[in-house]
Amino acid sequence: MLSFRSVFAGTLRQEDMGGGALITALWLRKSAGHVMLNPLRLSPFSSSRRTVFGLSASRCGLIQRKMTENGVASRRGKVLTIDTLNPCVKKVEYAVRGPIVQRALQIEKELKEGAKKPFSEVIKANIGDAHAMGQRPITFFRQVLALCSFPDLLDDGSFPEDAKNRARRILQSCGGSSMGAYSASQGIDCVRQDVARYIERRDGGIPSDPDNIYLTTGASDGIVTMLKLLVCGEGQTRTGVMISIPQYPLYSAALAELSAVQINYYLNEERCWSLDISELRRSLAEARQHCNPRALCIINPGNPTGQVQSRQCIEDVIRFAAEEHLFLMADEVYQDNVYADGCQFHSFKKVLFEMGPEYSDTVELASFHSTSKCYMGECGFRGGYMEVINMDPEVKEQLTKLVSVRLCPPVPGQALMDLVVNPPQPGEPSHANFLKERSATLSALAEKAKLTEQILNTVPGITCNPVQGAMYSFPQITIPERAVKEAKEKGQAPDMLYCMKLLEETGICLVPGSGFGQRDGTYHFRMTILPSTDKLRILLDKVKEFHQCFTQQYS
Amino acid sequence: MLSFRSVFAGTLRQEDMGGGALITALWLRKSAGHVMLNPLRLSPFSSSRRTVFGLSASRCGLIQRKMTENGVASRRGKVLTIDTLNPCVKKVEYAVRGPIVQRALQIEKELKEGAKKPFSEVIKANIGDAHAMGQRPITFFRQVLALCSFPDLLDDGSFPEDAKNRARRILQSCGGSSMGAYSASQGIDCVRQDVARYIERRDGGIPSDPDNIYLTTGASDGIVTMLKLLVCGEGQTRTGVMISIPQYPLYSAALAELSAVQINYYLNEERCWSLDISELRRSLAEARQHCNPRALCIINPGNPTGQVQSRQCIEDVIRFAAEEHLFLMADEVYQDNVYADGCQFHSFKKVLFEMGPEYSDTVELASFHSTSKCYMGECGFRGGYMEVINMDPEVKEQLTKLVSVRLCPPVPGQALMDLVVNPPQPGEPSHANFLKERSATLSALAEKAKLTEQILNTVPGITCNPVQGAMYSFPQITIPERAVKEAKEKGQAPDMLYCMKLLEETGICLVPGSGFGQRDGTYHFRMTILPSTDKLRILLDKVKEFHQCFTQQYS
């Protein structure tokens, strides 16, 4: 089919409009910025050629549809159009990099080209991208990566011995001692061993088997792979997967792509985004009417909601999964990002094993970690791992086979994952500096978490739960009725209208709550706590001011 | 369901075998290497609990199936079993890392543990993994990567200025000047610009638009993403994709996973694995009986077959795609690996544009490149790009949205891709050394390509086409009738039996032709030409000797 965007004007020479007819025409096409006149000749194999000229786009649409129904036109024009694209791909949405971010990038370009705006820079508080917001990498990690990249530096006296030792150990595990070799598809052996030992230390000695560790291309890759294994069935037996609302949109996007059923359970905003088992039950019972629920996804600490689950809650979730025969997926990429007093990270693995063999021998669990968050924030390296517990050995074989098709996760990301789980130890030359850098980042984040909650809660019409962990606040915002109406007229979510105006007026880029899901009639935004304290303060003040103006404007 | 592998022995205490019944039992389970006795307690919510004891595996299977049919047992036991796994995943096969490679890894472990074998090391000629076979990385590339990883080195006098300039340029394009920041999902701006300029140089000035460049996680990622867009329909209208036989098994694996129809067209072994348009026609006509063919995949230079397509052949393929309304996918990751006299690499893009606007304005093309092959062989970094031509703008938006869900390709891989398309230039300090390293690798490969063909063709019962390009030979082997019979009795492909025996007796790991597809009744193996010349010579002699023994043994 012709793309309507490329049709401007022209005259239609139509020899026959019926099925299988030949249509010759001259048509105008916009290509690489300039309009060209293209004579279309019919090759001997063409059974039809369709062009639409001197017609309005809607009229074109009618004809186009008619001809497609005839089953003729679909044989010419583009092979791949929005109408013939994989319908599952069309359903995918990913707000964290959606239209608002596209517009932010555009505004950045406009600013560069000298456009006058009421602000001088765009502040991207839409995505948990620590380095982009100025956080410095951990020196030791980068030293080791440099050594692994260019091993001649192993002779350089300026690198500390512990960094060199780590680099040597990683390189010895690489084919030909090079990060340029493929690793095993499951990941480099020694890295998987280090991951297992890290998990054992973290979980108070509960054993972890390197054979259960799969290194991944960021946590996203592991999550999508696990979902891929779980999806089957058609119609009423289609796989359903329970995800929290609000959720991180990777989940909804992956489920859409895999054509699985998304089962929403709502977090309790009134109780600091906690998870109520009664809500899990409600959600599951409803879902069982129309699909086959097979998995339950949990994000702890929460994204975008920043809550940290209590040990009791995790136990309840595990019991629920066991009773209801659900595969558990625990997204724990923010496991070091816990700030609130009295909050502590408990891994699902640890709680599962502490609940005794009735659970630890039966409940199937995949948990995910990443190099992208916590104190390191190394998103660009796409490092990550997953640990699978109680996975059927035949399924594990299938998993290993499946990941082998993509050959291996990026080796520099694997090396970085190794450093995260095996950082400098007491007595090693880099230990003191590592601790200093790590605690500086984590305590700054804790301070910014508090600051965000405090300032936002001073704004009438904004209520913000404590940011107990992770990297985001997800405050509820009151949007005046008139603004809601205006948004609806535009076919926009009201919080999208809000965030878009905020961006245009202040240069602050946030993600509307509608991109994560929220209870009907409530509105939110997600804002990272990653800008430097000074910048964050300015940002929060600007949001405050904007919110007051916005409310006034639409009252 | 219980995994049979984990069931050893036990006694069944069965209270009721019917639907919904409770069964309590003690069962034995192998866990982490030792046998444990696990009492299974029933929670109040269990509606059934199924255990099978003191029974043979086949008897277990019967009961298991019966209970699943009752629709009861499926609610207990593992959530995820081989029977409830995504059926598309089960269909995926990937021979390059299949059972023979698993066995090779096992043998390596056995050797390490002191096992006595008729060889002292396993030679992995199964996969195009240059660094693992001892090829050294390009110094300049690794210097820049080290600088990007640890920018403090920018003050180090021992690094050449051109390496520092490249590193500064890449870092300036990264968020927060760090490879740890996410890049744009389509890839770093300046890298995409460099890729476009590289393509223009390569293709004699034909314009390339950076907006049409998508950086990828290796070429595999780009290929799978494009196939994902193309797949739609059910039954008779299911998307069909034409792939060469023999093929690189990424294609068959991706099509299986996406539940698309694989349409085989056979390369002509008698004419040096060339592509006949008449065979494309035959294959397409047959496919149109039962599916909707939408895309045609070409690998040039060929994998596993090593042929280099003539300009004429590419033109014919493009004309065929245009006539038959197929989306073209050109896998050109071996574009620098051309060895044979009279052969030359022609990109599909270049030929398409030279054919004039009738083709260059209409034929949809995606072409793929990677950092993993050619003279650099940097597989572990998972760098790559694709260029899309004539893609519908709405489809491009969907593509951009789709790739954004995975956030971005690994940034070190993007940086490396940048260096590949923008290597040291004449006049720059690293230029001479870069040329020296590159041509040393390429001329060694050319020599090894020739050597492989020559030696293999001295063996009665082996015929090997010239290795014109890429990194593999794919000789045809005669397998005696008795060996074919033995293999069939074992449920094994005859060339799998052959390669498995070769591995056990010589330590040489090759991939059987059946993993790539071949004409019925013919047998092949794929062998990389990557080992060092000395090692390759030994390897080829061993294959020769083995083949003679094997033939004798089974005559």
Side-chain angles (χ1 to χ4, degrees):
Chain A
M1 283 168 233
L2 282 173
S3 161
F4 292 142
R5 292 173 189 214
S6 66
V7 175
F8 290 104
T11 48
L12 182 67
R13 272 205 291 135
Q14 179 191 328
E15 281 159 31
D16 185 344
M17 209 63 180
L22 298 185
I23 301 172
T24 24
L26 285 172
W27 57 290
L28 285 167
R29 191 164 156 287
K30 195 184 175 201
S31 171
H34 42 255
V35 173
M36 301 193 306
L37 200 60
N38 290 338
L40 276 191
R41 272 175 293 147
L42 289 173
S43 75
F45 294 89
S46 298
S47 58
S48 78
R49 180 78 75 173
R50 186 176 40 91
T51 49
V52 194
F53 262 60
L55 298 169
S56 71
S58 65
R59 181 97 180 87
C60 289
L62 277 175
I63 292 176
Q64 185 171 47
R65 239 168 288 132
K66 189 163 178 295
M67 298 183 74
T68 308
E69 281 156 16
N70 288 344
V72 175
S74 61
R75 293 280 301 280
R76 279 293 170 263
K78 299 262 185 228
V79 176
L80 192 55
T81 68
I82 194 76
D83 295 324
T84 64
L85 185 81
N86 182 343
C88 295
V89 169
K90 258 182 276 184
K91 282 186 211 135
V92 167
E93 283 178 26
Y94 190 69
V96 174
R97 293 206 153 182
I100 203 142
V101 185
Q102 302 301 321
R103 179 63 192 135
L105 292 173
Q106 230 170 16
I107 292 178
E108 271 186 336
K109 269 192 190 160
E110 291 168 18
L111 283 172
K112 260 190 200 159
E113 288 158 15
K116 289 270 166 287
K117 303 262 176 196
F119 48 88
S120 59
E121 66 166 333
V122 172
I123 304 178
K124 282 185 231 147
N126 60 297
I127 189 165
D129 191 356
H131 290 203
M133 299 310 286
Q135 185 181 309
R136 307 303 310 152
I138 298 287
T139 304
F140 178 78
F141 291 179
R142 294 309 197 89
Q143 286 173 327
V144 178
L145 287 171
L147 289 161
C148 289
S149 298
F150 188 51
D152 287 14
L153 291 171
L154 287 165
D155 301 327
D156 185 324
S158 66
F159 282 84
E161 274 310 310
D162 50 354
K164 289 185 184 177
N165 289 339
R166 285 296 193 294
R168 280 193 204 99
R169 181 156 178 279
I170 292 167
L171 288 174
Q172 271 163 17
S173 284
C174 292
S177 297
S178 169
M179 284 210 297
Y182 291 121
S183 75
S185 300
Q186 201 173 343
I188 298 173
D189 270 1
C190 85
V191 180
R192 290 190 292 117
Q193 284 158 18
D194 288 349
V195 168
R197 279 197 290 260
Y198 159 81
I199 293 172
E200 289 177 353
R201 281 196 311 275
R202 183 196 68 187
D203 292 344
I206 290 162
S208 172
D209 183 346
D211 274 353
N212 289 339
I213 308 295
Y214 288 77
L215 298 182
T216 58
T217 308
S220 307
D221 171 44
I223 292 166
V224 172
T225 301
M226 268 315 307
L227 290 174
K228 207 178 273 173
L229 293 183
L230 281 158
V231 168
C232 64
E234 293 288 330
Q236 296 276 327
T237 66
R238 207 146 57 107
T239 292
V241 176
M242 302 182 74
I243 64 172
S244 63
I245 296 294
Q247 56 121 8
Y248 175 56
L250 166 71
Y251 290 90
S252 51
L255 293 175
E257 203 185 306
L258 293 166
S259 198
V261 178
Q262 173 180 328
I263 306 172
N264 297 336
Y265 65 88
Y266 289 85
L267 299 176
N268 190 337
E269 184 165 14
E270 285 68 45
R271 291 179 47 208
C272 202
W273 296 117
S274 64
L275 196 167
D276 299 338
I277 301 299
S278 60
E279 167 60 10
L280 288 182
R281 281 199 214 298
R282 179 207 62 75
S283 156
L284 184 69
E286 211 176 286
R288 287 223 162 104
Q289 308 297 315
H290 59 91
C291 72
N292 177 23
R294 301 188 73 201
L296 167 56
C297 301
I298 306 279
I299 313 175
N300 178 49
N303 176 5
T305 38
Q307 83 284 13
V308 176
Q309 288 189 330
S310 68
R311 201 190 172 291
Q312 182 59 49
C313 175
I314 293 171
E315 238 189 87
D316 292 346
V317 169
I318 291 172
R319 205 167 287 118
F320 175 81
E323 287 162 3
E324 300 295 348
H325 204 236
L326 297 168
F327 193 106
L328 261 177
M329 290 176 57
D331 178 340
E332 301 178 327
V333 299
Y334 298 100
Q335 54 190 265
D336 292 333
N337 298 108
V338 176
Y339 317 118
D341 289 340
C343 284
Q344 197 191 329
F345 171 73
H346 302 275
S347 79
F348 267 75
K349 162 97 180 283
K350 180 169 191 248
V351 177
L352 177 67
F353 276 73
E354 288 172 352
M355 286 168 75
E358 183 181 357
Y359 295 96
S360 64
D361 287 346
T362 58
V363 175
E364 293 150 85
L365 167 70
S367 60
F368 306 91
H369 196 15
S370 149
T371 59
S372 303
K373 311 297 168 184
C374 300
Y375 61 90
M376 51 280 181
E378 295 274 15
C379 313
F381 282 79
R382 314 307 298 121
Y385 75 75
M386 63 176 170
E387 183 184 28
V388 295
I389 303 292
N390 289 321
M391 183 175 264
D392 183 295
E394 283 180 300
V395 173
K396 250 181 81 174
E397 268 175 37
Q398 294 284 321
L399 169 58
T400 306
K401 178 192 74 179
L402 184 63
V403 297
S404 78
V405 177
R406 296 291 191 94
L407 296 159
C408 69
V411 174
Q414 295 188 48
L416 191 52
M417 193 75 246
D418 188 59
L419 302 171
V420 170
V421 296
N422 185 21
Q425 299 304 307
E428 289 187 323
S430 304
H431 185 246
N433 192 50
F434 167 73
L435 283 191
K436 203 183 83 189
E437 290 177 348
R438 185 178 68 168
S439 64
T441 298
L442 288 176
S443 60
L445 285 171
E447 187 193 354
K448 292 186 278 187
K450 205 149 214 170
L451 187 72
T452 302
E453 179 202 345
Q454 279 169 353
I455 298 188
L456 287 176
N457 278 325
T458 64
V459 189
I462 297 188
T463 40
C464 183
N465 270 320
V467 183
Q468 298 174 332
M471 295 179 166
Y472 317 97
S473 65
F474 196 70
Q476 187 168 152
I477 49 177
T478 308
I479 297 188
E481 208 39 60
R482 268 186 53 215
V484 172
K485 207 172 147 236
E486 184 181 314
K488 283 186 180 160
E489 281 163 13
K490 286 183 177 172
Q492 225 175 19
D495 46 16
M496 172 64 94
L497 174 103
Y498 179 98
C499 289
M500 208 52 118
K501 272 189 183 287
L502 176 73
L503 174 64
E504 297 288 350
E505 292 175 22
T506 66
I508 296 169
C509 181
L510 307 180
V511 190
S514 44
F516 303 90
Q518 54 200 354
R519 281 205 184 271
D520 278 350
T522 69
Y523 307 109
H524 301 78
F525 59 71
R526 187 184 85 163
M527 189 180 95
T528 72
I529 57 167
L530 293 172
S532 67
T533 311
D534 292 346
K535 219 175 213 176
L536 184 65
R537 213 180 280 275
I538 297 170
L539 186 152
L540 288 164
D541 286 341
K542 278 187 171 187
V543 169
K544 185 175 182 166
E545 198 186 330
F546 169 81
H547 188 82
Q548 286 162 342
C549 293
F550 182 87
T551 306
Q552 221 161 20
Q553 190 192 338
Y554 283 101
S555 303
Chain B
M1 282 167 234
L2 282 173
S3 161
F4 293 142
R5 293 174 187 211
S6 65
V7 175
F8 290 103
T11 48
L12 181 68
R13 271 204 292 135
Q14 179 191 327
E15 280 158 32
D16 184 344
M17 209 60 182
L22 300 185
I23 301 172
T24 23
L26 286 173
W27 58 290
L28 285 166
R29 190 165 157 284
K30 195 185 176 201
S31 170
H34 42 257
V35 174
M36 301 193 306
L37 200 60
N38 292 336
L40 277 191
R41 272 175 294 146
L42 288 174
S43 76
F45 293 89
S46 297
S47 58
S48 77
R49 181 79 74 174
R50 188 174 40 89
T51 50
V52 194
F53 262 59
L55 299 168
S56 70
S58 65
R59 181 97 180 86
C60 289
L62 276 175
I63 293 175
Q64 184 172 47
R65 238 167 288 132
K66 189 163 178 298
M67 298 182 76
T68 308
E69 281 156 18
N70 287 345
V72 176
S74 60
R75 292 279 302 280
R76 280 292 170 262
K78 299 263 185 228
V79 177
L80 192 55
T81 67
I82 194 75
D83 295 324
T84 64
L85 186 81
N86 182 343
C88 295
V89 168
K90 258 181 275 184
K91 282 186 210 135
V92 167
E93 283 179 27
Y94 190 68
V96 174
R97 294 208 153 180
I100 202 142
V101 185
Q102 302 301 321
R103 179 63 192 136
L105 293 173
Q106 229 170 17
I107 292 178
E108 271 186 337
K109 270 193 189 160
E110 291 168 19
L111 281 173
K112 260 190 204 162
E113 289 159 14
K116 288 270 167 288
K117 304 262 177 197
F119 48 88
S120 59
E121 67 165 332
V122 171
I123 304 179
K124 281 184 231 148
N126 60 297
I127 189 166
D129 191 356
H131 290 203
M133 299 311 285
Q135 186 181 307
R136 306 305 310 153
I138 298 286
T139 304
F140 178 79
F141 291 179
R142 295 309 197 87
Q143 285 173 327
V144 178
L145 286 171
L147 289 160
C148 289
S149 300
F150 188 51
D152 287 14
L153 292 171
L154 287 165
D155 301 326
D156 185 325
S158 66
F159 282 84
E161 274 311 311
D162 49 355
K164 289 185 184 178
N165 288 339
R166 285 295 193 295
R168 280 194 203 99
R169 182 158 178 278
I170 292 167
L171 288 174
Q172 271 163 17
S173 283
C174 292
S177 297
S178 168
M179 285 210 297
Y182 291 120
S183 76
S185 300
Q186 200 172 344
I188 297 173
D189 270 0
C190 85
V191 180
R192 290 190 293 119
Q193 284 158 16
D194 289 348
V195 168
R197 279 199 289 260
Y198 159 81
I199 293 173
E200 288 177 353
R201 283 196 310 275
R202 183 196 68 186
D203 292 344
I206 291 162
S208 172
D209 183 346
D211 275 352
N212 289 339
I213 308 295
Y214 288 76
L215 299 182
T216 57
T217 308
S220 307
D221 172 43
I223 292 165
V224 172
T225 301
M226 269 314 308
L227 290 174
K228 208 179 271 174
L229 293 183
L230 281 157
V231 168
C232 64
E234 294 287 330
Q236 296 275 327
T237 67
R238 207 146 57 108
T239 292
V241 176
M242 302 182 74
I243 64 172
S244 62
I245 298 294
Q247 55 121 10
Y248 175 55
L250 166 72
Y251 291 91
S252 51
L255 294 175
E257 203 185 307
L258 293 165
S259 198
V261 179
Q262 173 180 329
I263 306 172
N264 297 335
Y265 65 87
Y266 289 85
L267 300 176
N268 189 337
E269 183 166 12
E270 285 68 45
R271 290 178 46 209
C272 201
W273 296 116
S274 65
L275 196 167
D276 299 340
I277 301 299
S278 60
E279 168 60 10
L280 287 182
R281 281 198 214 298
R282 179 207 62 75
S283 156
L284 184 68
E286 211 176 285
R288 286 224 163 105
Q289 308 298 315
H290 59 90
C291 71
N292 177 22
R294 301 188 72 200
L296 168 56
C297 301
I298 306 278
I299 313 174
N300 177 49
N303 175 7
T305 39
Q307 83 285 14
V308 176
Q309 287 189 331
S310 68
R311 200 189 172 292
Q312 183 59 51
C313 175
I314 294 172
E315 237 189 87
D316 293 345
V317 169
I318 291 172
R319 205 167 287 118
F320 175 81
E323 288 162 2
E324 300 296 347
H325 204 237
L326 297 168
F327 193 108
L328 261 177
M329 291 175 56
D331 178 340
E332 301 178 327
V333 300
Y334 298 100
Q335 55 190 264
D336 292 333
N337 298 108
V338 176
Y339 317 117
D341 289 341
C343 284
Q344 197 190 330
F345 171 72
H346 302 276
S347 79
F348 267 75
K349 162 96 180 285
K350 180 168 191 248
V351 177
L352 177 67
F353 276 74
E354 288 173 351
M355 287 168 75
E358 183 181 357
Y359 296 96
S360 64
D361 287 347
T362 58
V363 174
E364 294 149 85
L365 168 70
S367 60
F368 307 91
H369 196 15
S370 147
T371 59
S372 304
K373 311 297 167 186
C374 299
Y375 61 91
M376 51 281 181
E378 295 274 14
C379 313
F381 282 79
R382 315 306 299 123
Y385 76 75
M386 62 176 170
E387 183 183 28
V388 295
I389 303 292
N390 289 319
M391 183 175 266
D392 183 294
E394 285 180 297
V395 173
K396 249 181 82 174
E397 269 174 36
Q398 294 285 320
L399 169 58
T400 306
K401 178 192 74 178
L402 185 64
V403 297
S404 77
V405 177
R406 297 290 192 95
L407 297 158
C408 69
V411 174
Q414 295 188 46
L416 191 52
M417 192 76 245
D418 188 59
L419 302 171
V420 170
V421 296
N422 186 20
Q425 299 304 308
E428 290 187 322
S430 305
H431 185 244
N433 192 49
F434 166 73
L435 283 191
K436 204 183 83 189
E437 290 177 347
R438 185 178 70 167
S439 64
T441 298
L442 288 176
S443 61
L445 284 171
E447 187 193 356
K448 292 186 280 188
K450 206 148 212 171
L451 187 72
T452 301
E453 179 202 344
Q454 280 169 352
I455 298 188
L456 287 175
N457 279 325
T458 64
V459 189
I462 297 188
T463 41
C464 183
N465 270 320
V467 182
Q468 298 175 332
M471 295 180 166
Y472 318 97
S473 65
F474 195 71
Q476 186 168 153
I477 49 178
T478 307
I479 296 188
E481 209 39 61
R482 267 185 54 215
V484 172
K485 207 172 148 238
E486 183 180 315
K488 284 188 178 156
E489 280 162 13
K490 285 184 178 171
Q492 224 174 19
D495 45 17
M496 173 64 94
L497 174 102
Y498 179 97
C499 289
M500 210 51 119
K501 271 189 184 287
L502 176 73
L503 174 64
E504 297 289 349
E505 292 175 22
T506 67
I508 297 169
C509 180
L510 307 180
V511 190
S514 45
F516 304 90
Q518 54 198 352
R519 282 204 184 271
D520 278 350
T522 69
Y523 307 108
H524 301 78
F525 58 74
R526 187 182 85 163
M527 188 180 96
T528 73
I529 59 169
L530 293 172
S532 67
T533 311
D534 292 347
K535 219 177 212 176
L536 184 65
R537 212 181 281 274
I538 297 169
L539 186 152
L540 289 163
D541 286 342
K542 276 186 171 187
V543 169
K544 185 174 183 167
E545 197 187 331
F546 169 82
H547 188 84
Q548 287 162 342
C549 293
F550 182 88
T551 306
Q552 220 161 20
Q553 190 192 338
Y554 283 100
S555 302

